[in-house]
Amino acid sequence: MHSPADREGSASAERYGAPPTVIVHPDADLLAKATAARIVTRLVDVQAARGTASIVLTGGSIGIAVLAELAEVPARDAIDWRRLEIWWGDERFLPTGDAERNETGAREALLDHVNVDPGRVHAMPAPGGPDGDEPERGAERYARSLHAAARPDDHADVPSFDVCLLGIGPDAHVASLFPEQPALYEEERTVVAVHGAPKPPPTRVSLTFPAIRAAREVWVIASGEGKADAVRLALSEAGPIQVPASGARGRSRTLFLLDRAAASKLPAGLAAPGAL
């Protein structure tokens, strides 16, 4: 039986985005390779149609593995990296270059190996930068950057990201939106500072649901048996206050890209035909 908050959250997820399609790969290695190939296809198609494209990067072991595969795949050169806008979904509020920052992992795995335009790589704030040690100021500045990049046809305060990559935690958090925390209730701001995160470090900066749901496509990536319960809940009727990943939806497409272990607790027949 679902509580009113559950029912409201489930309805909100349906109202704001496309229902998810589940695609399952045999193992984490093939998941990373297939997702990298999918990114190439998506970005090349968008750039062919519009000239530029945008992507939101994620961290975590599988997120960084995808970026490392993207750096290695020969087809990566089909992407015009100079005309790609690169954003992040969340960041640990740690100094620039810290090994725990998502930005650091992304640079080491991919960005240092492709010809990106530095002006189009939008790292999230770090202590000691123009915002000092105040993550709230950093969140506001990142929100202003997103707003400046939005176009009239985006109909939002952020760009309609062509791909928004998200990992999922064992507690079903996405970005740094953790279960039952205040950021989940945010309907106006697109970027917030997060304090007291249950997973260290406690201070972070994160996109909110309004920013995530502005994306044309949201791809939630998960590998390992430790994510199986979270994936099952995210694809159930649970609401995003208790299960944040259930609220991660794209405007036109939502994909859950999984390995067999992460999909092991899903009902039979939920995965896309022929994906296994």
Side-chain angles (χ1 to χ4, degrees):
M1 185 172 183
H2 299 298
S3 69
D6 287 333
R7 291 194 295 270
E8 180 180 354
S10 180
S12 176
E14 292 174 3
R15 181 169 70 248
Y16 281 111
T21 296
V22 180
I23 300 175
V24 183
H25 298 281
D27 56 41
D29 183 58
L30 289 173
L31 168 62
K33 292 179 185 297
T35 303
R38 187 181 292 275
I39 290 171
V40 172
T41 299
R42 171 69 176 151
L43 296 182
V44 168
D45 285 349
V46 171
Q47 288 182 332
R50 202 173 62 235
T52 62
S54 60
I55 188 169
V56 175
L57 302 183
T58 186
S61 57
I62 189 62
I64 298 301
V66 168
L67 299 186
E69 289 293 343
L70 184 53
E72 294 295 328
V73 65
R76 76 175 201 189
D77 293 331
I79 298 170
D80 185 346
W81 293 97
R82 302 291 295 181
R83 297 181 65 80
L84 179 65
E85 300 285 343
I86 299 169
W87 305 88
W88 272 265
D90 74 320
E91 187 59 273
R92 299 166 174 88
F93 196 64
L94 297 169
T96 299
D98 190 289
E100 294 298 312
R101 278 180 63 89
N102 292 335
E103 176 199 355
T104 304
R107 289 188 183 279
E108 292 176 351
L110 173 65
L111 302 182
D112 289 346
H113 309 287
V114 291
N115 186 27
V116 293
D117 177 353
R120 294 176 184 256
V121 178
H122 308 280
M124 279 190 155
D131 314 301
D133 293 334
E134 298 181 34
E136 285 79 9
R137 287 179 56 191
E140 291 170 2
R141 181 168 58 85
Y142 206 73
R144 290 195 297 271
S145 296
L146 287 165
H147 180 73
R151 299 176 303 186
D153 59 351
D154 290 326
H155 304 294
D157 287 333
V158 300
S160 297
F161 310 114
D162 296 302
V163 179
C164 178
L165 301 175
L166 295 171
I168 179 172
D171 60 355
H173 80 268
V174 290
S176 284
L177 303 177
F178 292 91
E180 300 186 357
Q181 290 222 333
L184 294 167
Y185 296 91
E186 184 61 59
E187 293 293 339
E188 298 296 329
R189 291 180 293 173
T190 56
V191 188
V192 293
V194 174
H195 297 278
K199 179 181 178 181
T203 305
R204 298 157 176 250
V205 175
S206 180
L207 298 186
T208 62
F209 277 139
I212 291 170
R213 291 170 177 156
R216 291 183 174 89
E217 297 197 8
V218 168
W219 302 1
V220 179
I221 314 168
S223 67
E225 188 176 354
K227 305 294 180 70
D229 282 323
V231 168
R232 175 181 58 81
L233 288 170
L235 294 168
S236 72
E237 294 182 0
I241 303 302
Q242 290 75 28
V243 182
S246 71
R249 300 291 184 263
R251 282 184 176 178
S252 61
R253 195 179 196 197
T254 305
L255 296 179
F256 272 66
L257 303 172
L258 314 172
D259 68 2
R260 190 171 283 142
S264 61
K265 296 188 179 180
L266 293 179
L270 186 59
L276 285 170

